[in-house]
């Protein structure tokens, strides 16, 4: 009887909480995502061109969009990425969607912002395999690009700082507003199902929101992967330890966003888990020491699917042709 | 004096020819490209999704757009393509733009149309490295795709025939109308420069139009590469011989389109030539036994650049997420 009464009380509580959403948004651990405000459209357009520019890679084949595919939720949907000469990347490609809400970039937070991040893969021998000098020479060789740099930055100079600034400016527009969950938070009580509402309650009750909060439902802090039980993986990444050198930071990673999580499988920094059900249960187990009921898992997954927002509408850029001054790609040795 | 007089006469002839353009279109070896008439928009949209679908490859990484990049004139701008596990393709990737004007598909014409072509790379172990069965299983696993097939084809069945039919229907829309040269043909005498006009005259006078004619300025016939002098290449492709088995078809290839040729470098079936100047001179030499003057080459290149048309405006498709029934990609062994 006591158990039944408790269940009933919890249910009542859940309902009363649910009724208060949208009114008292400030009390919610998740905040809505606003549509992008574009103040520099020409820079955004240039950044989009560079985001889709395979000639920023040694092979002429790999662009930012290769591993952050905007048709696929801003990821490659692979456990770890394919890089230059089909090298296997060390870690799961994080989504570029809503990435500007993150406190830092990369799983280990080694880049302070999107601009710093964008410089990394271009020159990473395992990713795009190019050099910043060659990337600059490539873009500088094309008059159509130079004219855009001049118009946007006030001089014809093309450098890696400007290239990554433009890419980051484009990436800042890659937000996903108007998810069903945001509509629900804004007062549309029918925007999500009863199961999703219950799942959100489980999400909060279990303490998931301790880490997964803010507009991106994540990305506001670092946390150890395997907080109460170890996470078993073949992936050698040690997370923040690689940045800070501290043993205490071993296996500490940036908390990933749960926005569009239905699209950004496979999950975790090693990309080892393919279903939301397994991801939810694993997180409950190793981070919180909780075992969810089958129903709770199902409800949580329903909730998570409501976090899929409007995907950015991208008109594919038309890139200017190479010419005799453009460094030629080296796809094969 | 005789020489001067001849030059003058030729110039006069060129001018009188130029003045007749646009009026007597029927007499021109090149016809204009009309904008695509889209009669099946839902099928075009499905075909676009499948064209950008990397899950039609074993790795989950390579889509049609990887080697026929619509940001880059419908090619990969590499001598030969990068395929599954970074295998080197055997031949230069032909543009998908205006490809429906071709008498057949692939350099050797082994596919009779775009639909038949589309099936090739999916199952080619050196390209997308998948199988048709797995491709069908992949698409069939996603309810959002199945709903589109049902609406378009009248039943839920997903098969390779329907997949390639949709891709081909999308590809038929990839035409490039409104080039400066087409405007010129339609009577706008200022649409192209005097050099380009002179280049067109050289193009006709030298006999280039014997092979490069029709709306795509090519693609209407097969021709031996190295008609009057041998073409030296390391590329082992033997062209039509591989299809017909005839020794006479050795090194006979489909005449490529010259539409958007400024964008579709590097040139020839082996992708060995990077500049239009060299391509023009090589063609004049080995196909026609002619040596062009520096000015003629320059003018011809100016003319060829006027064949760049309006590139298709593509809104990047948003692809449905995989689920537990979707075959998982195998990017690495």
């Amino acid at each position: 009887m006591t158990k039944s009464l408790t269940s009933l009380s919890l249910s009542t509580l859940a309902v009363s909480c649910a009724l208060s959403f949208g009114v008292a948004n400030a009390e919610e651990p998740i905040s809505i995502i606003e549509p992008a405000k574009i103040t520099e459209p020409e820079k955004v357009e240039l950044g989009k061109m560079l985001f889709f520019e395979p000639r920023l890679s040694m092979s002429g084949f790999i662009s930012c969009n290769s591993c952050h595919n905007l048709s696929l939720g801003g990821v490659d949907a692979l456990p770890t990425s394919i890089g230059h000469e089909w090298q296997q990347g060390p870690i799961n490609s994080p989504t570029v969607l809503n990435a500007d809400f993150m406190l830092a970039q990369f799983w280990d937070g080694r880049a302070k912002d999107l601009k710093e991040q964008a410089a990394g893969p271009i020159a990473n021998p395992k990713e795009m395999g190019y050099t910043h000098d060659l990337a600059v020479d490539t873009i500088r060789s094309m008059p159509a690009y130079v004219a855009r740099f001049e118009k946007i930055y006030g001089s014809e100079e093309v450098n890696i700082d400007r290239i990554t600034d433009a890419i980051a400016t484009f990436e800042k527009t890659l937000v996903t507003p108007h998810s069903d969950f945001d509509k629900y938070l804004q007062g549309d009580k029918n925007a999500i199902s009863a199961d999703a509402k219950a799942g959100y309650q489980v999400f909060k009750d279990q303490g998931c929101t301790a880490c997964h909060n803010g507009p991106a439902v994540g990305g506001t802090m670092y946390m150890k992967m395997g907080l109460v039980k170890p996470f078993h993986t073949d992936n050698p990444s040690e997370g923040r330890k690689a940045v800070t050198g501290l043993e205490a930071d071993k296996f500490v990673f940036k908390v990933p966003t749960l926005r569009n999580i239905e699209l950004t499988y496979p999950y975790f920094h090693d990309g080892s888990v393919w279903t939301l059900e397994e991801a939810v249960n694993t997180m409950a187990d190793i981070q919180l020491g909780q075992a969810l009921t089958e129903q709770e898992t199902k409800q949580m997954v329903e909730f998570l699917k409501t976090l899929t927002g409007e995907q950015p509408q991208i008109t594919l850029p038309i890139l200017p042709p190479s010419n005799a001054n453009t460094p030629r790609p080296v796809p094969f040795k």
Side-chain angles (χ1 to χ4, degrees), chain A:
Chain A
M1 277 304 283
T2 313
K3 201 179 171 190
S4 285
L5 190 63
T6 311
S7 289
L8 184 64
S9 302
L10 279 175
S11 296
T12 313
L13 181 67
V15 169
S16 68
C17 279
L19 290 175
S20 70
F21 295 168
V23 181
N25 264 350
E27 291 167 21
E28 293 295 336
I30 299 173
S31 41
I32 64 160
I33 287 185
E34 302 281 355
K37 288 186 187 71
I38 296 177
T39 56
E40 299 175 293
E42 285 169 337
K43 196 190 276 188
V44 169
E45 184 63 25
L46 173 62
K48 184 175 77 171
M49 293 170 75
L50 295 167
F51 187 87
F52 280 89
E53 183 52 89
R55 289 168 295 183
L56 289 178
S57 69
M58 176 67 87
S59 62
F61 188 66
I62 299 178
S63 70
C64 304
N65 192 65
S66 298
C67 300
H68 301 287
N69 190 333
L70 294 173
S71 289
L72 290 174
V75 300
D76 52 15
L78 299 174
T80 60
S81 294
I82 294 168
H84 183 61
E85 296 177 337
W86 213 267
Q87 289 175 91
Q88 183 163 7
I91 207 158
N92 183 257
S93 173
T95 182
V96 73
L97 299 178
N98 307 304
D100 195 40
F101 293 118
M102 310 287 105
L103 81 162
Q105 300 300 318
F106 295 116
W107 278 96
D108 58 11
R110 68 183 181 275
K112 72 172 188 294
D113 55 22
L114 288 171
K115 178 164 174 276
E116 192 173 316
Q117 189 281 330
I122 294 171
N124 187 324
K126 284 194 149 189
E127 299 187 43
M128 296 163 85
Y130 220 26
T131 68
H132 288 171
D133 282 350
L134 279 167
V136 168
D137 287 347
T138 298
I139 301 304
R140 184 188 282 153
S141 72
M142 291 176 257
Y145 268 127
V146 173
R148 286 177 186 264
F149 277 84
E150 185 177 19
K151 190 159 185 204
I152 294 163
Y153 294 103
S155 77
E156 286 196 346
E157 192 184 340
V158 177
N159 56 40
I160 196 68
D161 191 69
R162 289 180 174 183
I163 287 173
T164 54
D165 177 64
I167 292 174
T169 303
F170 167 63
E171 289 178 336
K172 285 175 191 174
T173 70
L174 301 177
V175 298
T176 61
H178 309 312
S179 69
D180 287 344
F181 186 73
D182 281 9
K183 290 176 194 160
Y184 175 66
L185 278 188
Q186 288 177 300
D188 178 357
K189 291 180 184 61
N190 298 317
I192 69 174
S193 69
D195 269 352
K197 288 172 196 168
Y200 180 44
Q201 197 56 48
V202 176
F203 186 77
K204 290 196 286 190
D205 290 347
Q206 292 287 353
C208 306
T209 50
C211 295
H212 289 287
N213 53 45
V217 201
T220 61
M221 68 181 75
Y222 301 101
M223 187 53 59
K224 184 171 180 181
M225 180 67 170
L227 195 60
V228 303
K229 291 183 192 173
F231 177 63
H232 299 292
T233 179
D234 293 333
N235 190 297
S237 302
E238 295 193 331
R240 289 290 292 164
K241 187 186 166 192
V243 179
T244 65
L246 299 173
E247 195 61 22
D249 281 337
K250 194 169 172 179
F251 305 136
V252 170
F253 295 91
K254 188 179 64 181
V255 176
T257 176
L258 297 184
R259 291 278 181 186
N260 310 293
I261 195 72
E262 186 186 7
L263 310 180
T264 62
Y265 56 87
Y267 304 112
F268 305 151
H269 69 274
D270 64 350
S272 60
V273 169
W274 285 83
T275 68
L276 276 174
E277 288 76 8
E278 187 180 344
V280 160
N281 287 334
T282 301
M283 281 284 98
D285 181 36
I286 68 171
Q287 298 302 101
L288 301 163
Q290 300 289 332
L292 302 176
T293 66
E294 207 171 305
Q295 190 187 30
E296 285 171 330
T297 303
K298 183 175 165 287
Q299 291 169 337
M300 189 100 84
V301 169
E302 282 309 298
F303 156 63
L304 290 172
K305 288 182 178 177
T306 70
L307 293 170
T308 302
E310 273 182 16
Q311 302 297 295
Q313 278 247 332
I314 305 290
T315 303
L316 205 65
I318 303 302
L319 303 175
S322 295
N323 56 54
N325 297 320
T326 311
R328 290 187 192 160
V330 183
F332 305 101
K333 272 171 191 146

